[in-house]
Amino acid sequence: MSRFNQDSEASRTLLRDNEFLLPVYSRYPVVMDRGEGAHMFDTSGNRYLDLMGGLGVNALGHAHPRMLAAMADQAEHMVHLSPQFTSVASVNLAERLCQLSGLASVFYSTGGSEAVEGALKLARAYGHKNFGAHKTRIVSLNGSYHGRTYGSLSVTGQAKYRDDFDPGLPGVDFVDREDFAQLEAAVTGDTCCILLEPILGEGGVYELSPTYMAHARALADRHSALLIFDEIQCGLGRTGEWFAYLASGVLPDALILGKPLGGGLPLSALVVHEDLVHTLGVAKHGSTLGGSPIACRLGLEYLSVVEDEGLLAKVADTGSYLREKLVEIANNSEIVVEARGRGLIQGIELTIPARPIVEAALAQGLMLNVVQGNVIRFLPPFLLTREQVDTTVNILAKLLQDAAKQSAAPAPATLSA
Ligand SMILES: *Cc1c(COP(=O)(O)O)cnc(C)c1O
C-alpha cells in the first residue's frame, strides 16, 4: 500500500479537506495533482490509470492537446456571456446536438441535475398547456439516479438519497425496470412524462432492453405523455454510439445530456423534439451560467475529436474487449455476481462490499469507482487501450482472488482477553 504514503504536504491537504469541506463525499486518501491521457498523477508523483474518468466527464482523458488549444483560444475571446446574447460556439454546438440526436432545439444549463430540472419543467408545462392542471404525474424507475437538486432528487428512485429531505416533488410514480405490467399500470392520462435512463448508471449499470423502451414509447404515445431519456452518463459516445437509445431504435421527446458535454467545464443540455420548441416560453426558464461560450466551444471540440479520432468505433472495440474480460472474471470468481453494461459504461457486481477492493486497487495505481456499495463501475476515457484493459483486469482479478480467499476462510478464533 506504499502509494498511500503521501508526502507530508499531501497529508496536510487531506486533513484540511476534512476541516474545511462538508463531509458529503467519502473521499479517497490521495491528493491528485494532474492528468495526462488516461493517467493521473498524485502530488507525490505516483501514477494512476484512470478507469473512473471523473465520473464519466473526462471522456477524452486529461490534457487533450485540442481541448487545451480550444480552451485557450476561447478564453482569449470570451469566457462568459449573458444568455440574452448568443455566441457562435453555443449555436454550433446546439446544431450538432440536434443533428446527432434527431431532435430540434437545445436549452443549456450547467450540471446534470439542472438539466433534469429543465426536463421536469418542460413536462409539467406540456401537461398544463395542452391538457390542464391534472396532467402532472411523472413516472420514473426504482433504482434510477437523476440528481441531487429537489426536483431531480424527487424523481430519483432510491429512497436512501431522498428520505432525509422529504417531502419532495409530489406526483412521482416509481416502477421496477423491465416490468411491463407495472409500467402499464402507472402510466395514465394524468402522466405528463416517463423519465428513463437507457442505462441506469449510478443505480448499478443496468441496461434497459429495446423492448422495454419501445413499450414505454407506445405507452407515452397512448396517454399523450412525453418520453424523456436521461443520457447524462450513458450518452455522447460512451456506448460506442452517440447515444445509448440509438441501439433501441426508440426516439425520445426530450433528451438530457451532461457529464462529458463541456469537456470538463460545467455544461448540460436539454434537447427537445420540434413539437416542444415553444413549450417553455420566453422568461419561463433560465440559467445565468448555462451555455457559456467557453463550455460550448469545448463541447464542440469534444464532439469533433470523437469524430476525427474515430473514437466511437474504438469505444465499441475496447468496450467489447473489456466486457469479454469482465465476463471471464465473473465466471471464475465466486464473489462476482455478474458483469453488466456495454461500451465504456460497465460494471461488475460483487457479493461483498467493493470499497476495500477499490482502495486496494488505488494503492496499486488503478482508479476505480464503487456504486451501490457492491458494484465496481467502469467509466474510463475513450482512449483506453486494450493493453490498459489487460493491466486493469490483471490487478482486479488478483484482488478479487485474494478477497474470495479471505471471505472463504473460516472466521479467526476470537482471542480471549
Ligand atoms: C450524474 C448524473 C446526473 C446528475 O448530474 P450532476 O451533474 O451530478 O448534477 C443525473 N442523471 C444521471 C443519469 C447521471 O449519471
Side-chain angles (χ1 to χ4, degrees):
M1 316 289 116
S2 60
R3 290 197 189 239
F4 280 170
N5 293 333
Q6 300 250 297
D7 56 38
S8 53
E9 183 62 34
S11 306
R12 263 198 303 280
T13 302
L14 289 166
L15 285 174
R16 289 171 57 235
D17 174 274
N18 256 328
E19 190 177 351
F20 294 114
L21 289 155
L22 278 183
V24 295
Y25 299 102
S26 158
R27 292 208 211 272
Y28 292 102
V30 171
V31 182
M32 289 299 173
D33 179 45
R34 65 189 182 89
E36 198 183 301
H39 288 100
M40 297 212 74
F41 297 83
D42 67 23
T43 51
S44 308
N46 299 307
R47 193 178 79 153
Y48 303 83
L49 180 59
D50 181 9
L51 277 292
M52 185 172 182
L55 292 178
V57 170
N58 298 319
L60 298 180
H62 302 270
H64 191 289
R66 281 184 55 182
M67 298 298 276
L68 296 183
M71 193 179 313
D73 182 61
Q74 186 60 48
E76 286 187 357
H77 284 78
M78 58 179 163
V79 170
H80 171 76
L81 177 70
S82 89
Q84 281 79 9
F85 288 91
T86 191
S87 71
V88 174
S90 75
V91 176
N92 284 347
L93 178 61
E95 182 181 30
R96 288 293 288 130
L97 292 176
C98 291
Q99 286 167 347
L100 295 174
S101 64
L103 296 168
S105 187
V106 171
F107 175 81
Y108 292 119
S109 42
T110 55
S113 303
E114 196 188 352
V116 172
E117 298 294 331
L120 297 175
K121 282 177 72 178
L122 176 86
R124 286 274 173 93
Y126 159 83
H128 275 272
K129 285 185 168 175
N130 298 296
F131 302 91
H134 66 95
K135 199 171 180 69
T136 57
R137 301 198 70 85
I138 296 155
V139 174
S140 177
L141 295 184
N142 285 318
S144 63
Y145 184 84
H146 297 291
R148 302 292 194 165
T149 52
Y150 251 100
S152 64
L153 183 65
S154 300
V155 295
T156 289
Q158 302 186 60
K160 65 174 190 249
Y161 294 141
R162 290 195 317 265
D163 51 17
D164 281 357
F165 311 106
D166 281 342
L169 200 66
V172 185
D173 301 300
F174 291 108
V175 296
D176 293 341
R177 72 190 148 76
E178 297 297 314
D179 187 323
F180 297 78
Q182 267 192 45
L183 186 63
E184 191 147 355
V187 181
T188 70
D190 291 345
T191 305
C192 65
C193 78
I194 305 173
L195 176 62
L196 301 176
E197 288 167 88
I199 302 176
L200 283 75
E202 195 279 341
V205 190
Y206 290 97
E207 298 176 75
L208 296 184
S209 68
T211 18
Y212 185 79
M213 289 166 69
H215 195 66
R217 177 72 273 174
L219 281 171
D221 290 343
R222 192 192 306 161
H223 295 283
S224 302
L226 302 182
L227 180 63
I228 302 177
F229 289 160
D230 178 349
E231 291 224 8
I232 289 169
Q233 187 168 146
C234 62
L236 293 170
R238 190 154 286 285
T239 57
E241 292 184 90
W242 280 115
F243 305 107
Y245 70 80
L246 293 175
S248 73
V250 176
L251 199 75
D253 300 303
L255 173 66
I256 312 168
L257 302 172
K259 293 205 161 100
L261 180 59
L265 293 188
L267 183 66
S268 56
L270 172 65
V271 192
V272 309
H273 188 270
E274 59 177 327
D275 295 347
L276 299 169
V277 168
H278 299 290
T279 302
L280 286 170
V282 172
K284 295 290 187 177
H285 196 45
S287 174
T288 300
L289 287 160
S292 71
I294 196 158
C296 289
R297 174 74 185 276
L298 282 191
L300 208 54
E301 198 67 15
Y302 165 67
L303 297 179
S304 303
V305 169
V306 169
E307 227 158 41
D308 297 346
E309 296 186 2
L311 292 182
L312 294 181
K314 185 170 166 61
V315 166
D317 177 72
T318 316
S320 61
Y321 186 64
L322 174 64
R323 166 93 199 163
E324 212 176 281
K325 295 286 170 186
L326 292 180
V327 167
E328 210 173 286
I329 285 186
N331 290 340
N332 292 318
S333 172
E334 322 81 272
I335 61 165
V336 180
V337 180
E338 63 174 355
R340 293 192 289 262
R342 65 178 192 262
L344 291 178
I345 172 168
Q346 297 195 40
I348 51 170
E349 181 181 337
L350 311 183
T351 59
I352 58 168
R355 175 84 181 205
I357 293 180
V358 166
E359 290 208 357
L362 188 64
Q364 293 185 36
L366 206 59
M367 288 168 77
L368 295 169
N369 173 230
V370 183
V371 285
Q372 301 300 316
N374 67 333
V375 178
I376 299 177
R377 177 179 56 175
F378 302 83
L379 294 172
F382 298 174
L383 25 92
L384 192 77
T385 63
R386 281 177 172 241
E387 291 69 35
Q388 288 167 336
V389 170
D390 288 336
T391 305
T392 302
V393 165
N394 290 338
I395 292 175
L396 191 61
K398 177 78 176 63
L399 288 172
L400 288 168
Q401 244 172 36
D402 295 347
K405 265 187 228 141
Q406 271 174 27
S407 62
T414 37
L415 294 171
S416 49

